[in-house]
Amino acid sequence: MQDKIGKREATTLARRKHIVESAAICFIEQGFHQTSVRDIAKRAKISLGNLYNHFENKTALIAEIAALEADSLISVTKVLTGNAPHKKKLEQFIKAHFAATSTPANAILAAEILAESMRSPLIAEGYIRNRQSLITALIPVVEMLFPDAEPELQAELILDTIEGAGNRVAFAKAKKKKATRDALIDWITAKISDA
Amino acid sequence: MQDKIGKREATTLARRKHIVESAAICFIEQGFHQTSVRDIAKRAKISLGNLYNHFENKTALIAEIAALEADSLISVTKVLTGNAPHKKKLEQFIKAHFAATSTPANAILAAEILAESMRSPLIAEGYIRNRQSLITALIPVVEMLFPDAEPELQAELILDTIEGAGNRVAFAKAKKKKATRDALIDWITAKISDA
DNA sequence: TATTTGAGTGAACGTTCGTTCATTGATATA
DNA sequence: TATATCAATGAACGAACGTTCACTCAAATA
C-alpha cells in the first residue's frame, strides 16, 4: 500500500482540479486576458494567495487548460479503431468531432487557445500535438477511402472542414446545426471511391 | 468646390488612418487585450490624450480594425463575377482566399477577431456580415457546379475548408503551403459534375 | 506527544491600466 | 486682424492588475 493517498494529498489534488475547472469557466465567459486571477479565486471560493500555492502563475493555468483539450480528443479517436467498415468509422468520427467542436463552450475555448497559440510557443506546442494525434488516427482510414490522395494532406483538409463548420455553427439553431452536419457528411463521404 | 478638403480636415483624416494602422500592428504583435492604449499611442508617435481626440475609447478602435477586414474581401469576391468558366472562377477564388487567409498577419487578426466575436455582439455582427458577403458571392457559382447540393450550405462548407486550411498553414513552410493549396483545389473541384 | 509540513488567508506592494482634463498652439472663420 | 475651433500635449486620477508576504492552523511524521 505504498501508493495509498493520504487525506492531505487527496484534498490537494481535488482542490487543484477544482481550480482548473473554475478557471475554465472564467475563461469561457470572459476570455484569458479579461479574466483576472482574483476572478478565478473568487469562482473557486478560495483565497487569492492560496491559488498561488497550487499554480506558479496565471500563464501556467492557461497552459493547463489548453492541455486539457487533449483528454477529450482521445474519446473521439476511438471510433476510428474498431472493426466496422471504414466508411462507417469515418462517418462516426465526423459526427463525434463535429458534435464536440460545435459545442459553444468548446468553440469559445478553441478560439481562445488558437489566438493564444499565435504568440505563445508553449500553447502552440500543445495545440499542434493535439491536432497531430487526430491526424495520426485519421490517416489509416483516409488511406483506404481515398487511395488517390496524399493521406496526410487529405486528413488535414477533412479536419479543417469539420472544425471550421463546427465552430461556425456553434451558436446557430439546432436545426441549422443538424443540416450542416448532414451536409458535412455528404460533402466528405461523397468522394469515396467505393464502400 | 463645396467638398474641397481643408488642410485641417485632411491631416485629421490622415492622422486617424495612421492610428488605425498603428493599432493593427500592435494587435497583431500582442493581441487586443495585451495591447495598451499607451502602446498604440507610442507606435503612432502621438500623445496619449490625442488618441482620445480621434477615438472614443479602446473598444471603438478594436471594432474599427475588425470592420477593416471587409475591404480586403471585396477584391477576393471580384474573381467570381467575370465571364470565365465557373470552374475556373471557383479555382481562382480558392487561390485568392487561401492566399489571403494563409498570410500570418491575417491569420493572427482573424483568430483575434473570432475570439472577440464570441463575447462582443458588436464584433460578431461585423464578422457575420463579412462572411455573408463571401457566401452571397459564392452561391451563384456553387449553384452551377454542384447542382445536387443545397447551394448555401455547400458554399459555407467550401469557405470552412479554405479558411481552416489557410489559417492552419499560416506559419508553415512555403512548400507545405503550396502542397496544401493544390490539395485544397483538388479536394473541392474533384466533385464537380462536369466542366 | 512534540515537531515539521504545507494548505489556506487576506492585506499590501509596485505597476500598469483606461480615461480625463487643463492647457497650448496652429488653423479656419468673421 | 481678432476670434473661434480643435488637434495636440502629458500630468493626473482611481481602479485593477499579478504577485508576494507574514501568518494561522490542521494534518502528517518522528
Side-chain angles (χ1 to χ4, degrees):
Chain A
M1 300 292 173
Q2 190 103 342
D3 56 355
K4 185 190 162 198
I5 295 180
K7 190 178 178 184
R8 185 82 154 266
E9 197 176 346
T11 56
T12 297
L13 237 65
R15 178 56 45 98
R16 195 188 150 88
K17 189 181 168 195
H18 179 236
I19 294 174
V20 170
E21 289 167 352
S22 304
I25 296 174
C26 288
F27 290 156
I28 289 168
E29 285 179 357
Q30 308 175 255
F32 287 152
H33 299 286
Q34 297 95 292
T35 297
S36 73
V37 181
R38 281 171 183 80
D39 289 335
I40 300 170
K42 194 173 286 178
R43 179 129 232 158
K45 303 199 173 183
I46 62 166
S47 71
L48 182 57
N50 193 18
L51 197 149
Y52 280 88
N53 284 328
H54 295 274
F55 292 92
E56 199 187 343
N57 50 37
K58 190 185 174 183
T59 306
L61 210 33
I62 294 179
E64 184 119 345
I65 299 278
L68 262 188
E69 295 278 275
D71 298 340
S72 58
L73 290 184
I74 293 173
S75 64
V76 172
T77 57
K78 272 184 185 157
V79 304
L80 291 169
T81 57
N83 286 327
H86 289 124
K87 187 175 175 180
K88 199 77 196 167
K89 288 196 287 181
L90 178 60
E91 207 173 306
Q92 285 188 312
F93 174 81
I94 297 172
K95 281 183 185 172
H97 198 40
F98 179 79
T101 55
S102 66
T103 302
N106 282 346
I108 293 176
L109 261 190
E112 208 70 36
I113 291 170
L114 176 65
E116 196 66 14
S117 292
M118 300 285 184
R119 259 160 244 111
S120 159
L122 182 77
I123 309 288
E125 193 190 315
Y127 173 80
I128 291 170
R129 184 153 25 82
N130 283 350
R131 195 181 166 95
Q132 193 57 48
S133 77
L134 279 181
I135 295 290
T136 305
L138 205 45
I139 283 181
V141 175
V142 168
E143 228 161 12
M144 292 301 204
L145 294 174
F146 306 93
D148 295 337
E150 204 285 309
E152 179 149 358
L153 281 181
Q154 190 62 62
E156 279 180 332
L157 286 178
I158 290 175
L159 267 192
D160 289 336
T161 315
I162 298 173
E163 293 170 356
N167 288 332
R168 169 168 55 78
V169 301
F171 298 95
K173 293 185 189 124
K175 194 175 166 184
K176 174 159 189 180
K177 227 163 170 167
K178 191 164 164 24
T180 299
R181 192 194 70 171
D182 294 342
L184 183 64
I185 293 174
D186 274 358
W187 169 245
I188 294 178
T189 60
K191 256 190 286 191
I192 294 173
S193 358
D194 45 53
Chain B
M1 298 292 173
Q2 191 101 340
D3 56 356
K4 185 192 164 198
I5 295 179
K7 191 179 179 184
R8 185 84 153 265
E9 196 176 347
T11 58
T12 297
L13 237 65
R15 176 57 44 98
R16 195 187 150 88
K17 190 181 168 193
H18 178 236
I19 294 174
V20 170
E21 288 166 353
S22 303
I25 295 174
C26 289
F27 290 155
I28 289 169
E29 285 179 356
Q30 308 176 255
F32 287 153
H33 299 287
Q34 297 97 289
T35 297
S36 72
V37 181
R38 282 171 182 81
D39 289 336
I40 300 170
K42 195 173 285 179
R43 177 130 232 159
K45 302 200 175 183
I46 62 166
S47 70
L48 181 58
N50 192 19
L51 197 149
Y52 281 87
N53 283 329
H54 295 274
F55 292 92
E56 199 188 342
N57 51 36
K58 189 185 174 183
T59 306
L61 210 33
I62 294 179
E64 184 120 345
I65 299 279
L68 262 187
E69 296 276 276
D71 297 341
S72 58
L73 291 184
I74 294 173
S75 63
V76 172
T77 57
K78 272 185 183 154
V79 304
L80 291 169
T81 56
N83 286 327
H86 288 125
K87 187 175 175 181
K88 198 79 197 165
K89 287 196 288 183
L90 178 60
E91 207 173 305
Q92 285 188 311
F93 173 81
I94 297 172
K95 281 183 184 172
H97 199 39
F98 179 79
T101 55
S102 65
T103 302
N106 283 345
I108 293 175
L109 262 189
E112 207 69 35
I113 291 169
L114 177 65
E116 195 68 12
S117 293
M118 300 285 185
R119 259 160 245 109
S120 160
L122 182 76
I123 309 290
E125 192 190 315
Y127 174 80
I128 291 170
R129 185 153 23 82
N130 283 351
R131 194 179 168 95
Q132 194 56 49
S133 77
L134 279 181
I135 296 290
T136 305
L138 205 45
I139 283 182
V141 174
V142 168
E143 229 161 10
M144 292 301 206
L145 294 174
F146 306 93
D148 294 337
E150 206 286 308
E152 179 149 359
L153 281 180
Q154 189 62 62
E156 279 179 334
L157 286 178
I158 290 174
L159 266 192
D160 289 336
T161 315
I162 299 173
E163 293 169 358
N167 288 331
R168 169 169 56 79
V169 302
F171 298 95
K173 293 185 189 123
K175 193 176 170 184
K176 173 159 189 178
K177 226 163 170 167
K178 191 164 162 25
T180 299
R181 191 194 71 172
D182 294 342
L184 183 64
I185 293 174
D186 275 357
W187 170 246
I188 294 177
T189 61
K191 258 191 286 193
I192 293 173
S193 1
D194 46 53

